[in-house]
Amino acid sequence: MVEPKPEPPSISAPPPPPLAADDGAVAAPGVGSFGGFFKMDRPKLRVTSEYDSESSVFFNKISCKLLDNLAKLKLSFQNGNNGEVLEPHLYLKSKFFSLQYDVEENDALLNTSFEIAPGLQFRAATELKARQGEVAMVADLAGPAYKFELSSAVPSISMPRATLKFPLGEISLEEKDEEEEQQKRALSLNGIVKSHILNGVYTARFSDENLDLRYAYKDGEMTFIPSLSLPSNALSIAFKRRFSPSDKLSYLYKFDTNSWSAVYKHRVGNDYKLKAGYDTDVRNGWAALWVGNEDGKAKAAPMKMKVQIMLQVPQDNIKLTALMFRVKKRWDF
C-alpha cells in the first residue's frame, strides 16, 4: 500500500491591515458586523472513507460544524463496484434537534429535545413519510440519578409506557398485544437491575416471561462471567485471562449447544494489535492484524488511517481460505 504524500504547506499573503474609521481611529474587529455574534470562518471539512473488501463497497462521510459549533452537517453515502452512489443520507444536528434525511426514500426523521423547566425534559421523534413518531416527558425524582419517563406512540394505539430509572437499573411497564388474541391487550413488565456482590456485578434482565441472569467478576488479571437464561436453561461461561499488559486470552463455552470459541490478543503499543481465534459454531479459524486502535477513531490512528487485515480458514474446506481487509482513512480540510 503506497502511503499518501503529505501536502506541502501553503504560503498565503499576510492579512490586510484593520480598516480605519473616518476620524482615523482603527475600527474594533467584529463591531457592526455579523461576525460579532458568530465566527464566520470557513467550516472545517472532515472526510472519512472506508473500504471493505468483503462487500467491495466504499463507505463515505463528509461532515462540518456550522455557526461556531452550534450545528453539525453530515452527508453519508456508499459507492459500489461501478462507482454508483448508494444510500445517501443527510444529517443536521444541533443541541435541541436533529434531522436525518433519506434521499432515495424521500423521507426524514426529526428528533427534538429540550428542557421545559428545571428537572423536566420534553423529547419527540417524528417520521414524516409514515406520519408516526413518539413523544416523551422525563422528570427528575429526588435528583438526576432518579428519573421517571412517560412515552407514547403518535398516533397513540395503547397506554403510555412508564419507565422508572434509578442508580441500579430501570423498570418499564407498557401495554402489548397478546400473540394468540390480537384484540386483547395486556400489561408487560421488563427492565434490568444491577448489584455488586462478592467483588463482582450481578445483572438480572427480565422481559415478559424471559429472565437473563449474569454475574461478572473481574480483577487485575482475570474475568469470570457465568450467564443463565430462563426458561430455556441456556448456560454459558466466559473466561478471560490477562498474562501481561499486551497479552490476553478469551474463552466462551455454551453448555446447551456444547459449542465454544477462543481468541488470543497481542498488542504492540497503542496502534498495533494481533488477534487469532477459533469458533466451533462456524467451524472457522482466523487471524487478524489491526493498525490503529480497534475501537478508536481514525483521527487518533497513525496518518489518520486504520487498517484491518483478516485471514479466515474454514475447517471443512481449506481451499476456501479467504484474505479480507478493511481500510479507513480520514482527511481534514
Side-chain angles (χ1 to χ4, degrees):
M1 185 180 298
V2 179
E3 296 182 356
K5 297 182 179 180
E7 295 290 338
S10 59
I11 301 176
S12 58
L19 299 176
D22 294 339
D23 56 356
V26 177
V31 177
S33 67
F34 188 69
F37 298 96
F38 298 107
K39 295 181 180 179
M40 299 304 294
D41 298 335
R42 180 185 65 83
K44 295 182 179 180
L45 289 179
R46 299 177 181 177
V47 180
T48 303
S49 183
E50 181 176 355
Y51 177 75
D52 185 359
S53 65
E54 186 176 10
S55 59
S56 298
V57 172
F58 282 91
F59 302 89
N60 307 290
K61 294 180 182 180
I62 304 174
S63 64
C64 66
K65 294 183 179 181
L66 307 173
L67 301 177
D68 197 16
N69 297 336
L70 290 181
K72 182 177 181 180
L73 182 65
K74 182 175 71 173
L75 172 66
S76 67
F77 59 94
Q78 301 178 13
N79 289 118
N81 294 328
N82 299 325
E84 66 275 18
V85 177
L86 305 173
E87 300 183 11
H89 287 79
L90 185 64
Y91 304 84
L92 179 62
K93 185 177 181 180
S94 68
K95 181 179 179 181
F96 298 106
F97 79 94
S98 64
L99 174 67
Q100 176 182 345
Y101 178 68
D102 189 334
V103 179
E104 292 182 347
E105 298 293 334
N106 192 23
D107 193 9
L109 178 63
L110 178 63
N111 292 275
T112 182
S113 176
F114 55 87
E115 192 175 46
I116 299 177
L120 184 61
Q121 188 179 37
F122 172 80
R123 188 176 70 243
T126 304
E127 190 176 350
L128 299 183
K129 194 173 184 179
R131 296 180 181 237
Q132 62 184 17
E134 184 183 78
V135 294
M137 296 285 291
V138 184
D140 292 346
L141 304 176
Y146 296 85
K147 295 180 181 294
F148 180 72
E149 176 181 322
L150 276 178
S151 59
S152 176
V154 178
S156 178
I157 57 175
S158 62
M159 294 176 54
R161 180 174 67 248
T163 303
L164 177 63
K165 299 181 180 181
F166 47 94
L168 297 180
E170 64 178 58
I171 297 176
S172 297
L173 182 65
E174 59 182 323
E175 194 177 34
K176 288 185 177 181
D177 290 327
E178 292 286 352
E179 296 182 358
E180 299 178 355
E181 302 179 15
Q182 295 294 333
Q183 301 298 328
K184 185 178 180 181
R185 308 185 67 87
L187 293 178
S188 173
L189 182 67
N190 57 82
I192 180 173
V193 178
K194 297 183 179 181
S195 179
H196 292 270
I197 301 176
L198 299 176
N199 297 327
V201 178
Y202 172 78
T203 304
R205 187 187 301 271
F206 53 94
S207 176
D208 296 332
E209 298 180 357
N210 299 319
L211 176 62
D212 296 329
L213 304 176
R214 181 177 184 267
Y215 178 76
Y217 170 84
K218 183 177 181 179
D219 59 17
E221 298 180 351
M222 185 187 69
T223 302
F224 179 69
I225 307 175
S227 302
L228 176 64
S229 296
L230 299 174
S232 62
N233 293 326
L235 176 64
S236 65
I237 293 180
F239 175 80
K240 300 179 182 181
R241 177 72 164 85
R242 183 177 295 278
F243 301 98
S244 68
S246 58
D247 294 275
K248 184 178 181 180
L249 175 66
S250 302
Y251 178 81
L252 172 65
Y253 184 80
K254 301 177 181 179
F255 288 88
D256 56 329
T257 59
N258 290 327
S259 60
W260 59 271
S261 63
V263 178
Y264 185 83
K265 304 177 184 179
H266 176 72
R267 182 184 297 273
V268 181
N270 296 324
D271 299 320
Y272 301 93
K273 180 188 291 186
L274 294 168
K275 297 172 66 174
Y278 179 80
D279 192 336
T280 58
D281 284 336
V282 294
R283 300 177 64 85
N284 263 0
W286 58 271
L289 167 66
W290 273 265
V291 179
N293 193 331
E294 179 183 358
D295 301 320
K297 297 183 178 180
K299 176 182 178 180
M303 300 178 60
K304 297 183 180 180
M305 182 171 63
K306 296 177 59 177
V307 180
Q308 176 190 355
I309 303 174
M310 175 176 286
L311 178 67
Q312 286 190 352
V313 182
Q315 180 180 346
D316 299 328
N317 192 348
I318 300 180
K319 294 182 179 180
L320 297 179
T321 298
L323 179 64
M324 299 173 292
F325 64 91
R326 177 176 294 181
V327 181
K328 184 176 183 180
K329 171 67 176 173
R330 167 175 163 167
W331 297 269
D332 294 324
F333 300 97

